[in-house]
Each structure stands twice: as structure tokens, then as C-alpha cells.
PDB file of all heavy atoms in Angstrom:
ATOM      1  N   LYS O  24     185.256  49.859  13.503  1.00 98.00           N
ATOM      2  CA  LYS O  24     184.506  48.875  12.718  1.00 98.00           C
ATOM      3  C   LYS O  24     183.775  47.946  13.674  1.00 98.00           C
ATOM      4  O   LYS O  24     183.990  47.990  14.886  1.00 98.00           O
ATOM      5  CB  LYS O  24     185.447  48.085  11.820  1.00 98.00           C
ATOM      6  CG  LYS O  24     186.456  47.256  12.564  1.00 98.00           C
ATOM      7  CD  LYS O  24     187.431  46.565  11.633  1.00 98.00           C
ATOM      8  CE  LYS O  24     188.438  45.700  12.329  1.00 98.00           C
ATOM      9  NZ  LYS O  24     189.110  46.229  13.495  1.00 98.00           N
ATOM     10  N   ALA O  25     182.918  47.096  13.126  1.00 98.00           N
ATOM     11  CA  ALA O  25     182.154  46.136  13.919  1.00 98.00           C
ATOM     12  C   ALA O  25     183.096  45.340  14.820  1.00 98.00           C
ATOM     13  O   ALA O  25     184.160  44.911  14.399  1.00 98.00           O
ATOM     14  CB  ALA O  25     181.378  45.200  13.006  1.00 98.00           C
ATOM     15  N   GLY O  26     182.704  45.193  16.078  1.00 98.00           N
ATOM     16  CA  GLY O  26     183.490  44.467  17.057  1.00 98.00           C
ATOM     17  C   GLY O  26     184.362  45.363  17.930  1.00 98.00           C
ATOM     18  O   GLY O  26     184.863  44.923  18.958  1.00 98.00           O
ATOM     19  N   ASP O  27     184.528  46.629  17.549  1.00 98.00           N
ATOM     20  CA  ASP O  27     185.354  47.544  18.344  1.00 98.00           C
ATOM     21  C   ASP O  27     184.604  48.016  19.585  1.00 98.00           C
ATOM     22  O   ASP O  27     183.388  48.234  19.555  1.00 98.00           O
ATOM     23  CB  ASP O  27     185.776  48.766  17.525  1.00 98.00           C
ATOM     24  CG  ASP O  27     186.854  48.449  16.503  1.00 98.00           C
ATOM     25  OD1 ASP O  27     187.482  47.371  16.593  1.00 98.00           O
ATOM     26  OD2 ASP O  27     187.076  49.291  15.612  1.00 98.00           O
ATOM     27  N   VAL O  28     185.358  48.184  20.664  1.00 98.00           N
ATOM     28  CA  VAL O  28     184.848  48.726  21.918  1.00 98.00           C
ATOM     29  C   VAL O  28     185.563  50.050  22.146  1.00 98.00           C
ATOM     30  O   VAL O  28     186.789  50.117  22.088  1.00 98.00           O
ATOM     31  CB  VAL O  28     185.107  47.764  23.099  1.00 98.00           C
ATOM     32  CG1 VAL O  28     184.598  48.365  24.401  1.00 98.00           C
ATOM     33  CG2 VAL O  28     184.467  46.414  22.837  1.00 98.00           C
ATOM     34  N   LEU O  29     184.795  51.109  22.379  1.00 98.00           N
ATOM     35  CA  LEU O  29     185.336  52.455  22.520  1.00 98.00           C
ATOM     36  C   LEU O  29     185.103  52.959  23.931  1.00 98.00           C
ATOM     37  O   LEU O  29     183.997  52.842  24.452  1.00 98.00           O
ATOM     38  CB  LEU O  29     184.648  53.407  21.539  1.00 98.00           C
ATOM     39  CG  LEU O  29     184.313  52.866  20.141  1.00 98.00           C
ATOM     40  CD1 LEU O  29     183.463  53.860  19.381  1.00 98.00           C
ATOM     41  CD2 LEU O  29     185.580  52.541  19.403  1.00 98.00           C
ATOM     42  N   GLY O  30     186.126  53.544  24.528  1.00 98.00           N
ATOM     43  CA  GLY O  30     185.998  54.078  25.876  1.00 98.00           C
ATOM     44  C   GLY O  30     186.041  55.592  25.873  1.00 98.00           C
ATOM     45  O   GLY O  30     186.851  56.192  25.170  1.00 98.00           O
ATOM     46  N   ALA O  31     185.166  56.215  26.650  1.00 98.00           N
ATOM     47  CA  ALA O  31     185.129  57.664  26.808  1.00 98.00           C
ATOM     48  C   ALA O  31     184.963  57.962  28.295  1.00 98.00           C
ATOM     49  O   ALA O  31     183.847  58.181  28.776  1.00 98.00           O
ATOM     50  CB  ALA O  31     183.994  58.260  25.980  1.00 98.00           C
ATOM     51  N   PRO O  32     186.084  57.953  29.035  1.00 98.00           N
ATOM     52  CA  PRO O  32     185.986  58.207  30.473  1.00 98.00           C
ATOM     53  C   PRO O  32     185.644  59.660  30.776  1.00 98.00           C
ATOM     54  O   PRO O  32     185.856  60.549  29.937  1.00 98.00           O
ATOM     55  CB  PRO O  32     187.388  57.861  30.991  1.00 98.00           C
ATOM     56  CG  PRO O  32     188.288  58.001  29.812  1.00 98.00           C
ATOM     57  CD  PRO O  32     187.448  57.685  28.596  1.00 98.00           C
ATOM     58  N   ALA O  33     185.123  59.888  31.955  1.00 98.00           N
ATOM     59  CA  ALA O  33     184.845  61.248  32.409  1.00 98.00           C
ATOM     60  C   ALA O  33     186.150  62.033  32.453  1.00 98.00           C
ATOM     61  O   ALA O  33     187.215  61.477  32.722  1.00 98.00           O
ATOM     62  CB  ALA O  33     184.204  61.213  33.795  1.00 98.00           C
ATOM     63  N   GLY O  34     186.052  63.319  32.161  1.00 98.00           N
ATOM     64  CA  GLY O  34     187.238  64.170  32.192  1.00 98.00           C
ATOM     65  C   GLY O  34     186.964  65.481  31.506  1.00 98.00           C
ATOM     66  O   GLY O  34     185.814  65.852  31.289  1.00 98.00           O
ATOM     67  N   GLY O  35     188.034  66.172  31.143  1.00 97.00           N
ATOM     68  CA  GLY O  35     187.929  67.445  30.465  1.00 97.00           C
ATOM     69  C   GLY O  35     187.926  67.264  28.964  1.00 97.00           C
ATOM     70  O   GLY O  35     187.680  66.156  28.453  1.00 97.00           O
ATOM     71  N   PRO O  36     188.223  68.338  28.220  1.00 97.00           N
ATOM     72  CA  PRO O  36     188.217  68.276  26.752  1.00 97.00           C
ATOM     73  C   PRO O  36     189.122  67.196  26.163  1.00 97.00           C
ATOM     74  O   PRO O  36     188.892  66.742  25.059  1.00 97.00           O
ATOM     75  CB  PRO O  36     188.678  69.676  26.343  1.00 97.00           C
ATOM     76  CG  PRO O  36     188.261  70.544  27.485  1.00 97.00           C
ATOM     77  CD  PRO O  36     188.436  69.697  28.719  1.00 97.00           C
ATOM     78  N   GLU O  37     190.120  66.753  26.921  1.00 98.00           N
ATOM     79  CA  GLU O  37     190.990  65.675  26.427  1.00 98.00           C
ATOM     80  C   GLU O  37     190.240  64.356  26.267  1.00 98.00           C
ATOM     81  O   GLU O  37     190.704  63.458  25.573  1.00 98.00           O
ATOM     82  CB  GLU O  37     192.210  65.503  27.344  1.00 98.00           C
ATOM     83  CG  GLU O  37     191.931  64.848  28.676  1.00 98.00           C
ATOM     84  CD  GLU O  37     191.309  65.766  29.745  1.00 98.00           C
ATOM     85  OE1 GLU O  37     191.075  66.968  29.478  1.00 98.00           O
ATOM     86  OE2 GLU O  37     191.037  65.261  30.858  1.00 98.00           O
ATOM     87  N   THR O  38     189.065  64.228  26.887  1.00 98.00           N
ATOM     88  CA  THR O  38     188.249  63.017  26.729  1.00 98.00           C
ATOM     89  C   THR O  38     186.999  63.273  25.892  1.00 98.00           C
ATOM     90  O   THR O  38     186.104  62.431  25.834  1.00 98.00           O
ATOM     91  CB  THR O  38     187.832  62.438  28.097  1.00 98.00           C
ATOM     92  OG1 THR O  38     186.957  63.357  28.750  1.00 98.00           O
ATOM     93  CG2 THR O  38     189.035  62.131  28.967  1.00 98.00           C
ATOM     94  N   ALA O  39     186.946  64.444  25.238  1.00 98.00           N
ATOM     95  CA  ALA O  39     185.798  64.740  24.369  1.00 98.00           C
ATOM     96  C   ALA O  39     185.737  63.689  23.268  1.00 98.00           C
ATOM     97  O   ALA O  39     186.772  63.199  22.800  1.00 98.00           O
ATOM     98  CB  ALA O  39     185.919  66.142  23.786  1.00 98.00           C
ATOM     99  N   HIS O  40     184.522  63.346  22.862  1.00 98.00           N
ATOM    100  CA  HIS O  40     184.356  62.247  21.910  1.00 98.00           C
ATOM    101  C   HIS O  40     183.133  62.439  21.033  1.00 98.00           C
ATOM    102  O   HIS O  40     182.208  63.172  21.377  1.00 98.00           O
ATOM    103  CB  HIS O  40     184.264  60.916  22.661  1.00 98.00           C
ATOM    104  CG  HIS O  40     183.194  60.917  23.704  1.00 98.00           C
ATOM    105  ND1 HIS O  40     183.372  61.501  24.953  1.00 98.00           N
ATOM    106  CD2 HIS O  40     181.928  60.450  23.696  1.00 98.00           C
ATOM    107  CE1 HIS O  40     182.264  61.371  25.651  1.00 98.00           C
ATOM    108  NE2 HIS O  40     181.363  60.734  24.913  1.00 98.00           N
ATOM    109  N   GLN O  41     183.177  61.755  19.891  1.00 98.00           N
ATOM    110  CA  GLN O  41     182.083  61.777  18.920  1.00 98.00           C
ATOM    111  C   GLN O  41     182.278  60.595  17.984  1.00 98.00           C
ATOM    112  O   GLN O  41     183.408  60.290  17.577  1.00 98.00           O
ATOM    113  CB  GLN O  41     182.123  63.088  18.137  1.00 98.00           C
ATOM    114  CG  GLN O  41     181.050  63.230  17.078  1.00 98.00           C
ATOM    115  CD  GLN O  41     181.189  64.538  16.322  1.00 98.00           C
ATOM    116  OE1 GLN O  41     182.295  64.979  16.016  1.00 98.00           O
ATOM    117  NE2 GLN O  41     180.062  65.160  16.009  1.00 98.00           N
ATOM    118  N   ILE O  42     181.194  59.941  17.638  1.00 98.00           N
ATOM    119  CA  ILE O  42     181.219  58.849  16.669  1.00 98.00           C
ATOM    120  C   ILE O  42     180.606  59.362  15.378  1.00 98.00           C
ATOM    121  O   ILE O  42     179.499  59.896  15.381  1.00 98.00           O
ATOM    122  CB  ILE O  42     180.448  57.617  17.192  1.00 98.00           C
ATOM    123  CG1 ILE O  42     181.124  57.082  18.461  1.00 98.00           C
ATOM    124  CG2 ILE O  42     180.355  56.543  16.114  1.00 98.00           C
ATOM    125  CD1 ILE O  42     180.337  55.994  19.164  1.00 98.00           C
ATOM    126  N   ILE O  43     181.338  59.187  14.268  1.00 98.00           N
ATOM    127  CA  ILE O  43     180.900  59.671  12.961  1.00 98.00           C
ATOM    128  C   ILE O  43     180.871  58.485  11.998  1.00 98.00           C
ATOM    129  O   ILE O  43     181.834  57.714  11.925  1.00 98.00           O
ATOM    130  CB  ILE O  43     181.863  60.748  12.418  1.00 98.00           C
ATOM    131  CG1 ILE O  43     181.990  61.893  13.431  1.00 98.00           C
ATOM    132  CG2 ILE O  43     181.401  61.264  11.062  1.00 98.00           C
ATOM    133  CD1 ILE O  43     183.196  62.783  13.213  1.00 98.00           C
ATOM    134  N   ASN O  44     179.787  58.332  11.264  1.00 98.00           N
ATOM    135  CA  ASN O  44     179.700  57.275  10.254  1.00 98.00           C
ATOM    136  C   ASN O  44     180.412  57.759   8.995  1.00 98.00           C
ATOM    137  O   ASN O  44     179.924  58.647   8.304  1.00 98.00           O
ATOM    138  CB  ASN O  44     178.237  56.930   9.962  1.00 98.00           C
ATOM    139  CG  ASN O  44     178.113  55.783   8.983  1.00 98.00           C
ATOM    140  OD1 ASN O  44     179.063  55.415   8.296  1.00 98.00           O
ATOM    141  ND2 ASN O  44     176.919  55.216   8.904  1.00 98.00           N
ATOM    142  N   THR O  45     181.568  57.172   8.687  1.00 98.00           N
ATOM    143  CA  THR O  45     182.334  57.521   7.484  1.00 98.00           C
ATOM    144  C   THR O  45     182.148  56.490   6.381  1.00 98.00           C
ATOM    145  O   THR O  45     182.752  56.602   5.321  1.00 98.00           O
ATOM    146  CB  THR O  45     183.839  57.640   7.808  1.00 98.00           C
ATOM    147  OG1 THR O  45     184.292  56.397   8.364  1.00 98.00           O
ATOM    148  CG2 THR O  45     184.101  58.774   8.798  1.00 98.00           C
ATOM    149  N   GLY O  46     181.305  55.502   6.619  1.00 98.00           N
ATOM    150  CA  GLY O  46     181.079  54.435   5.648  1.00 98.00           C
ATOM    151  C   GLY O  46     179.906  54.721   4.727  1.00 98.00           C
ATOM    152  O   GLY O  46     179.352  55.825   4.704  1.00 98.00           O
ATOM    153  N   THR O  47     179.519  53.694   3.993  1.00 98.00           N
ATOM    154  CA  THR O  47     178.399  53.809   3.053  1.00 98.00           C
ATOM    155  C   THR O  47     177.158  53.064   3.539  1.00 98.00           C
ATOM    156  O   THR O  47     176.118  53.095   2.895  1.00 98.00           O
ATOM    157  CB  THR O  47     178.801  53.271   1.662  1.00 98.00           C
ATOM    158  OG1 THR O  47     179.220  51.914   1.807  1.00 98.00           O
ATOM    159  CG2 THR O  47     179.925  54.102   1.062  1.00 98.00           C
ATOM    160  N   ALA O  48     177.278  52.364   4.680  1.00 98.00           N
ATOM    161  CA  ALA O  48     176.149  51.637   5.276  1.00 98.00           C
ATOM    162  C   ALA O  48     175.875  52.220   6.659  1.00 98.00           C
ATOM    163  O   ALA O  48     176.689  52.968   7.214  1.00 98.00           O
ATOM    164  CB  ALA O  48     176.492  50.152   5.394  1.00 98.00           C
ATOM    165  N   THR O  49     174.748  51.872   7.217  1.00 98.00           N
ATOM    166  CA  THR O  49     174.379  52.346   8.548  1.00 98.00           C
ATOM    167  C   THR O  49     175.382  51.860   9.592  1.00 98.00           C
ATOM    168  O   THR O  49     175.788  50.697   9.575  1.00 98.00           O
ATOM    169  CB  THR O  49     172.964  51.853   8.908  1.00 98.00           C
ATOM    170  OG1 THR O  49     172.044  52.362   7.927  1.00 98.00           O
ATOM    171  CG2 THR O  49     172.538  52.312  10.281  1.00 98.00           C
ATOM    172  N   LEU O  50     175.781  52.752  10.475  1.00 98.00           N
ATOM    173  CA  LEU O  50     176.652  52.422  11.599  1.00 98.00           C
ATOM    174  C   LEU O  50     175.754  52.138  12.798  1.00 98.00           C
ATOM    175  O   LEU O  50     174.915  52.967  13.167  1.00 98.00           O
ATOM    176  CB  LEU O  50     177.595  53.591  11.902  1.00 98.00           C
ATOM    177  CG  LEU O  50     178.536  53.439  13.092  1.00 98.00           C
ATOM    178  CD1 LEU O  50     179.520  52.295  12.863  1.00 98.00           C
ATOM    179  CD2 LEU O  50     179.290  54.741  13.335  1.00 98.00           C
ATOM    180  N   VAL O  51     175.900  50.951  13.374  1.00 98.00           N
ATOM    181  CA  VAL O  51     175.054  50.523  14.485  1.00 98.00           C
ATOM    182  C   VAL O  51     175.931  50.281  15.703  1.00 98.00           C
ATOM    183  O   VAL O  51     176.946  49.589  15.612  1.00 98.00           O
ATOM    184  CB  VAL O  51     174.281  49.227  14.133  1.00 98.00           C
ATOM    185  CG1 VAL O  51     173.372  48.805  15.285  1.00 98.00           C
ATOM    186  CG2 VAL O  51     173.483  49.405  12.844  1.00 98.00           C
ATOM    187  N   TYR O  52     175.547  50.870  16.840  1.00 98.00           N
ATOM    188  CA  TYR O  52     176.333  50.655  18.050  1.00 98.00           C
ATOM    189  C   TYR O  52     175.470  50.778  19.302  1.00 98.00           C
ATOM    190  O   TYR O  52     174.390  51.364  19.280  1.00 98.00           O
ATOM    191  CB  TYR O  52     177.514  51.631  18.129  1.00 98.00           C
ATOM    192  CG  TYR O  52     177.157  53.089  18.145  1.00 98.00           C
ATOM    193  CD1 TYR O  52     176.915  53.750  19.344  1.00 98.00           C
ATOM    194  CD2 TYR O  52     177.060  53.825  16.967  1.00 98.00           C
ATOM    195  CE1 TYR O  52     176.590  55.098  19.369  1.00 98.00           C
ATOM    196  CE2 TYR O  52     176.743  55.173  16.981  1.00 98.00           C
ATOM    197  CZ  TYR O  52     176.509  55.808  18.189  1.00 98.00           C
ATOM    198  OH  TYR O  52     176.192  57.139  18.199  1.00 98.00           O
ATOM    199  N   LEU O  53     175.973  50.190  20.380  1.00 98.00           N
ATOM    200  CA  LEU O  53     175.376  50.346  21.699  1.00 98.00           C
ATOM    201  C   LEU O  53     176.181  51.395  22.448  1.00 98.00           C
ATOM    202  O   LEU O  53     177.417  51.421  22.360  1.00 98.00           O
ATOM    203  CB  LEU O  53     175.448  49.050  22.504  1.00 98.00           C
ATOM    204  CG  LEU O  53     174.544  47.900  22.101  1.00 98.00           C
ATOM    205  CD1 LEU O  53     174.803  46.702  23.017  1.00 98.00           C
ATOM    206  CD2 LEU O  53     173.078  48.293  22.158  1.00 98.00           C
ATOM    207  N   GLY O  54     175.501  52.256  23.186  1.00 98.00           N
ATOM    208  CA  GLY O  54     176.147  53.197  24.087  1.00 98.00           C
ATOM    209  C   GLY O  54     175.791  52.818  25.504  1.00 98.00           C
ATOM    210  O   GLY O  54     174.620  52.600  25.812  1.00 98.00           O
ATOM    211  N   ILE O  55     176.797  52.698  26.354  1.00 98.00           N
ATOM    212  CA  ILE O  55     176.576  52.306  27.742  1.00 98.00           C
ATOM    213  C   ILE O  55     177.246  53.359  28.619  1.00 98.00           C
ATOM    214  O   ILE O  55     178.394  53.747  28.359  1.00 98.00           O
ATOM    215  CB  ILE O  55     177.172  50.905  28.012  1.00 98.00           C
ATOM    216  CG1 ILE O  55     176.509  49.889  27.068  1.00 98.00           C
ATOM    217  CG2 ILE O  55     177.007  50.506  29.473  1.00 98.00           C
ATOM    218  CD1 ILE O  55     177.202  48.552  26.997  1.00 98.00           C
ATOM    219  N   SER O  56     176.532  53.838  29.637  1.00 98.00           N
ATOM    220  CA  SER O  56     177.115  54.886  30.483  1.00 98.00           C
ATOM    221  C   SER O  56     176.689  54.745  31.926  1.00 98.00           C
ATOM    222  O   SER O  56     175.632  54.185  32.228  1.00 98.00           O
ATOM    223  CB  SER O  56     176.691  56.264  29.972  1.00 98.00           C
ATOM    224  OG  SER O  56     175.311  56.467  30.169  1.00 98.00           O
ATOM    225  N   THR O  57     177.548  55.272  32.796  1.00 97.00           N
ATOM    226  CA  THR O  57     177.147  55.424  34.182  1.00 97.00           C
ATOM    227  C   THR O  57     176.100  56.528  34.198  1.00 97.00           C
ATOM    228  O   THR O  57     176.059  57.359  33.298  1.00 97.00           O
ATOM    229  CB  THR O  57     178.354  55.795  35.062  1.00 97.00           C
ATOM    230  OG1 THR O  57     178.985  56.962  34.527  1.00 97.00           O
ATOM    231  CG2 THR O  57     179.361  54.660  35.123  1.00 97.00           C
ATOM    232  N   MET O  58     175.226  56.512  35.167  1.00 93.00           N
ATOM    233  CA  MET O  58     174.143  57.494  35.234  1.00 93.00           C
ATOM    234  C   MET O  58     174.323  58.331  36.493  1.00 93.00           C
ATOM    235  O   MET O  58     174.074  57.863  37.593  1.00 93.00           O
ATOM    236  CB  MET O  58     172.786  56.787  35.272  1.00 93.00           C
ATOM    237  CG  MET O  58     172.469  55.976  34.038  1.00 93.00           C
ATOM    238  SD  MET O  58     172.143  56.990  32.605  1.00 93.00           S
ATOM    239  CE  MET O  58     170.519  57.585  33.013  1.00 93.00           C
ATOM    240  N   ALA O  59     174.769  59.562  36.309  1.00 94.00           N
ATOM    241  CA  ALA O  59     174.968  60.458  37.438  1.00 94.00           C
ATOM    242  C   ALA O  59     173.718  61.316  37.655  1.00 94.00           C
ATOM    243  O   ALA O  59     173.057  61.702  36.693  1.00 94.00           O
ATOM    244  CB  ALA O  59     176.171  61.362  37.177  1.00 94.00           C
ATOM    245  N   THR O  60     173.420  61.617  38.895  1.00 92.00           N
ATOM    246  CA  THR O  60     172.296  62.496  39.206  1.00 92.00           C
ATOM    247  C   THR O  60     172.586  63.903  38.701  1.00 92.00           C
ATOM    248  O   THR O  60     171.704  64.590  38.199  1.00 92.00           O
ATOM    249  CB  THR O  60     172.044  62.525  40.726  1.00 92.00           C
ATOM    250  OG1 THR O  60     171.772  61.193  41.150  1.00 92.00           O
ATOM    251  CG2 THR O  60     170.877  63.415  41.081  1.00 92.00           C
TER     252      THR O  60
END
């Protein structure tokens, strides 16, 4: 929900992730990542 911070560290399938909107309104979020070459 609004205010939550989600972490997805680098790794194998155990760190696989996806954000799904299960609500009735638009889900808005910022995504921040390290940038690897």
C-alpha cells in the first residue's frame, strides 16, 4: 500500500519480483535501481 518500500536485491530466482495492482484504483510507485553496464 501507499508508503511501503519494497526491496529486490540482485540474486537468483529467490529474488524474482513483480508488482501487481490488485486494487480498484491506479497503483503509483517509483522504481529506483543501480545501473550496471
Side-chain angles (χ1 to χ4, degrees):
K24 64 184 181 314
D27 286 345
V28 179
L29 322 172
E37 74 281 0
T38 66
H40 54 280
Q41 179 182 39
I42 297 172
I43 304 162
N44 183 344
T45 58
T47 58
T49 300
L50 177 64
V51 181
Y52 60 89
L53 288 179
I55 301 167
S56 68
T57 55
M58 297 290 286
T60 301

